[in-house]
Amino acid sequence: MQKDYDPKNIEPKWQRLWKDINLYKAPERPKRKFYVLEMFPYPSGKDLHMGHLKNYAIGDAVARIKMMQGYDVLHPMGWDSFGLPAENAAIQWGIHPKEWTEENIKGFKSQLERLGISYDWDRELATSSSEYYKWTQKLFLILYKRGLAYRKGAWVNWCPSCKTVLANEQVIDGKCERCKSKVEKRKLIQWFFKITDYAERLLKDLDKLRGHWPEHVIKQQENWIGKSVGVEIVFKVGDIPLKVFTTRADTLFGVTFISVAPDSEIVEDILKNVGPETREKIIDYINESLIKSPEEREKGKTGVFTGLYAKHPFTDEEVPVYVADYVLGEYGTGVVMGVPAHDQRDFEFATRYNLPIKIVVFPEKNEGKDFEEFIDAMCEETESEDYSFEYKGKRYVFKPKRAYEKKGILKNSLKFTGLSSDEAIKRIAEELESKNLGGRKTAYRIRDWLVSRQRYWGAPIPIIHCPKCGEVPVPEKDLPIILPHTENFLPKGRSPLEDIEDFINTKCPKCGSDAKRDPDTMDTFVDSSWYFLRFTDPKNDEDIFDPEKANLWMPVDQYIGGAEHATKHLIYARFITKVLYDEGMLEYDEPFANLFTQGLVLKKFWWSPVHLKSFPNPEDVEYKDGKPYLKKDGTPLEERVEMMSKSRGNIVPLGPFVDRYGADTARVAILFAAPPDMDFEWTDATSTAAIRFLNRVWRVFYELHEEGIRPVRVIDHQNLKGEDKEFVLKFNDLIDGIMKDYDKFKFNTAIAKLMEGLNEVDKYKLSKEVLGWFVDNFIRLLAPIAPHLSEELFHEFSMDEMYGKKSVFQTPLPQPLKGLKKESVEIGVQINGRFRGRITVPFNASEDKVLEVVKGDERLRRYISKGIKKVIYVPNKIINIITV
RNA sequence: GCUGGGGUGGCGGAAUAGGCAGACGCGCCGGACUUAGGAUCCGGUGGGGUUAUCCCGUGCGGGUUCAAGUCCCGCCCCCAGCACCA
């Protein structure tokens, strides 16, 4: 055995072995399957950095643990290689997206191989290859056939910088999630997937995932779906029924106006029923409001009166109808009833346009917190006795200052007066239903998924537009619709494919006449919404996948990825899985049985608000009075700790690190730094611990090897004595703890326990047998975390011969020994609840025995001289003695 | 504003199920080896202190309990997500 740890030499050696023995090849027919999957990456460059590694290190540890637990593991990897950044980079570097993408894939792959991650590369796929997107197109057709893919003209999010539409999920704070430009609204004809049809199931089935997915992801999805149970109420404007959705039907008698969203469909009906002057006014208003940013809309609640009046379903009173842009066209019915007294938004609108305010919900009691809040919102202090009432020595008169939004007791509400809000909602809904003027209704916040994009680098939508037959799906036999090669892919606000004559012009598959292809490509989230299914049958050239194979492996037993996909990829994938379940292709309707979301790897850098760029290199920075300045010109900087990314420049590249310290060191560093689900900042200290630890492992094992220690599989653990026994007891607890940590992905504490084990073995004088037992166990415990080093030691100690296996990963993980008996144990002593010392007593000693020891202890005796009143004894843990 | 997560040494972080707070590591201090530096090894390291068989200590204030980082009530702060959703 070599004296020094030399990862450069040993790592490629074992990577070769693993390849030669097909260690990672998933069997066709698994007996005990385990499907572990990391979210596949977008190949954004040629080089990986530490931020990337975390995801793969966790997945690899899980895969290896499962291998050693005897599972047939499926652990595939692929590339989410379609998408906007390929074009942007292509524009920047003047290289075609296809070429750029292929080069990056090569780079990523070779680095993943260099890390020795346990992928079954035979199943590799890339969403941008026609062998893959052929089936993305088929998926589109399946949805189309089921009525779940449709085209409509709608006000959609438009990113002026990316020059394409965006799904709701890709707009953050009114900005494009990629380029941060302000998103505009445009009315365009676009393709949508009808995810709203699945809203209830997506919500309800979260119950199946509870306990298996992080609670925060489940919560986010719940909020995103946003179910509200309410009441639909019809207000008639002449013959037009204006349907209103509300969760507060109890405030119905406080309605003083109706507001219609400018982008709702019912506006068309309204326009037909007003005079030409008013129509023009309304149209002007609509055009104005739709170019407003969300912030502008929020600031002033504006609207325009339509001149129409709607009839209240119970009082027959006429209330004015407005078009107002604080109402959302896409939510509920796109029409709301204005109840200024009990809704702050309506209140602001009513104040602006001098509309009456009717108070119809009062607090239950004329005192207390709610009542005071009510007075605060609705009343003003007064001196006069007129129309006023007294509370706590002060006189008040009604003068609403803001809305009172709490539930309470109804007043001024005809026969519903006196009911509680909840009771009233129920009764009003029933009554409306019997009058045919509405009833119970559920609204969801989630919108249909906008899937078309006016960009080049994506899967073409498999639809042909025929002047005679209309929309015609491409017959399956004609798939794939190949993305044509062009140098002219620059975004210009409409699809580049539209200008490629050979592509766009085609014949209608139905009638044969001249027709045009749909020019748009699909959102990349469509590609990634089913890739985990393709991995179960990646080479199938007859179908999207063979249901039999998919059902052998699905669902994914452990999915690992970033939390940022909570309301995007993770909800789309659930949706598509349910569609394919309904299509009869899957036996399970949830794709990911267990989800783990890893934390980010952060790194410090300095941002210059003067130069508007980041300075990742500490050498450019100097501190004065604790504040950072740029060395070269003295301008102030801001210290920031954020996610590693190329654009910030704060990356730690993986290549040089692995060259110097080895892949195992990189993995241990990242897994030891913090719990895997937590964000952490990468500093030099992060790697120090890992470098030292692995070197120390090597040295200790080198010495053991030199001393001629041979691994021992079974020891006579019942008959150990002295230090042998003490050590085995201790190390056995560590084995137990590490196994539990592995189950819960707590790799940081597992590594801490391995370190502890290594520290302990040095402290004792041990027999050759026990040292041999330690060698055998330690190597196998370390294997999932530092696979190359462990494999090397496995062979150095001839464990391959002992086990008759070629690789440590074909051997089982250690199990704690059973029936080990501790002779004595140290327990804490409390007197009157205060900690006073610790004593050693026989294992499972009786209370009397322990008291005897306490009484015999010099230091403790004096505390109990007054006499004992009560004793609480927890065997092997603690004794608490209460004195008189 | 709503929802979820969190607040523990100089730092990253441990602590089943209420039972000896600070595992493991980084840093720091001291020592060994060394011409020296690095590497390595050994010891120490929450604060205070009259150095003792002491006191204080897990964001703040109360409470429950023999016993609270852990449970309950009230507050403060940080992070993330959502946010005119009627």
Side-chain angles (χ1 to χ4, degrees), chain A residues 401-559:
Chain A
K401 298 194 285 284
R402 56 190 166 83
Y404 178 72
E405 295 187 323
K406 285 204 167 148
K407 288 185 175 176
I409 301 291
L410 271 68
K411 287 195 180 162
N412 310 323
S413 300
L414 300 182
K415 61 180 165 186
F416 303 103
T417 298
L419 294 181
S420 72
S421 288
D422 288 332
E423 183 65 18
I425 291 171
K426 227 173 94 192
R427 292 271 297 278
I428 288 171
E430 284 162 10
E431 195 107 350
L432 286 167
E433 212 159 327
S434 67
K435 287 178 154 187
N436 231 352
L437 285 172
R440 287 252 167 216
K441 213 199 151 187
T442 303
Y444 297 90
R445 207 193 73 108
I446 193 171
R447 313 281 202 268
D448 276 342
W449 175 12
L450 201 173
V451 295
S452 40
R453 295 289 181 276
Q454 291 72 51
R455 293 290 293 246
Y456 171 67
W457 194 234
I461 289 174
I463 295 286
I464 290 165
H465 301 283
C466 168
K468 286 182 200 143
C469 314
E471 242 166 49
V472 182
V474 173
E476 202 185 317
K477 65 170 173 53
D478 295 342
L479 296 182
I481 313 294
I482 296 283
L483 179 69
H485 186 87
T486 177
E487 294 299 327
N488 205 359
F489 49 76
L490 265 67
K492 50 194 149 191
R494 59 201 180 89
S495 174
L497 300 185
E498 218 171 321
D499 298 331
I500 302 173
E501 301 283 324
D502 287 354
F503 173 82
I504 204 81
N505 294 316
T506 186
K507 302 280 180 206
C508 171
K510 242 189 207 164
C511 69
S513 51
D514 285 348
K516 289 202 185 292
R517 291 192 187 281
D518 197 288
D520 287 353
T521 54
M522 276 185 256
D523 179 9
T524 53
F525 280 106
V526 180
D527 306 330
S528 57
S529 67
W530 72 281
Y531 78 109
F532 45 90
L533 297 165
R534 185 69 183 174
F535 274 138
T536 66
D537 190 14
K539 301 230 166 76
N540 194 329
D541 55 10
E542 304 201 324
D543 208 345
I544 179 163
F545 56 83
D546 177 355
E548 205 194 316
K549 287 190 181 167
N551 286 320
L552 278 175
W553 286 107
M554 286 297 290
V556 175
D557 295 282
Q558 187 61 61
Y559 199 34

Side-chain angles (χ1 to χ4, degrees), chain A residues 50 76 158 170 295 323 328 336 360 380 415 449 485 557 565 606 666 736 764 806 835 837:
Chain A
M50 286 296 170
W158 174 268
Q170 291 157 8
E295 299 94 81
V323 173
L328 299 173
V336 301
V360 293
E380 189 173 70
K415 61 180 165 186
W449 175 12
H485 186 87
D557 295 282
H565 286 109
W606 290 268
D736 190 41
Y764 293 91
K806 290 196 170 108
F835 177 73

Side-chain angles (χ1 to χ4, degrees), chain A residues 5 10 18 60-61 64-65 68 664-665 667-668 671 690 693-698 701 731 735 738-739 742 747 750-755 758 774-794 799 808-809 811-814:
Chain A
Y5 173 45
I10 65 180
W18 296 332
D60 193 55
R64 290 178 189 276
I65 287 164
M68 294 179 79
D664 283 351
T665 305
R667 292 155 175 253
V668 168
L671 292 176
F693 172 57
L694 293 188
N695 273 301
R696 204 154 160 241
V697 169
W698 187 269
F701 278 80
F731 196 73
I735 295 178
I738 291 166
M739 289 305 111
Y742 278 170
F747 301 116
I751 293 168
K753 289 185 181 90
L754 287 166
M755 290 172 168
L758 202 63
F774 165 78
V775 165
D776 172 52
N777 281 281
F778 191 89
I779 290 172
R780 285 180 297 133
L781 286 169
L782 182 67
I785 298 286
H788 305 89
L789 171 55
S790 305
E791 191 75 272
E792 173 78 12
L793 294 174
F794 183 80
M799 286 165 71
V808 65
F809 298 103
T811 69
L813 278 172

Side-chain angles (χ1 to χ4, degrees), chain A residues 330-397:
Chain A
E330 302 158 305
Y331 182 76
T333 58
V335 186
V336 301
M337 58 184 208
V339 186
H342 303 293
D343 183 289
Q344 186 57 27
R345 296 156 300 182
D346 296 343
F347 181 87
E348 284 166 33
F349 188 83
T351 316
R352 186 178 191 119
Y353 294 103
N354 280 319
L355 294 160
I357 296 167
K358 281 192 198 166
I359 309 172
V360 293
V361 177
F362 289 73
E364 251 173 79
K365 283 176 281 180
N366 287 344
E367 58 183 7
K369 228 175 157 184
D370 283 353
F371 190 62
E372 276 157 28
E373 193 187 321
F374 178 82
I375 290 176
D376 195 45
M378 291 298 177
C379 304
E380 189 173 70
E381 260 191 83
T382 181
E383 303 287 310
S384 154
E385 303 258 317
D386 300 342
Y387 305 106
S388 63
F389 65 93
E390 200 185 307
Y391 180 70
K392 288 199 174 163
K394 288 180 184 164
R395 296 208 71 80
Y396 295 95
V397 64

Side-chain angles (χ1 to χ4, degrees), chain A residues 705 710-711 793-803:
Chain A
H705 195 265
R710 312 310 308 151
L793 294 174
F794 183 80
H795 287 84
E796 287 288 1
F797 281 88
S798 308
M799 286 165 71
D800 48 344
E801 286 163 33
M802 184 171 78
Y803 281 94

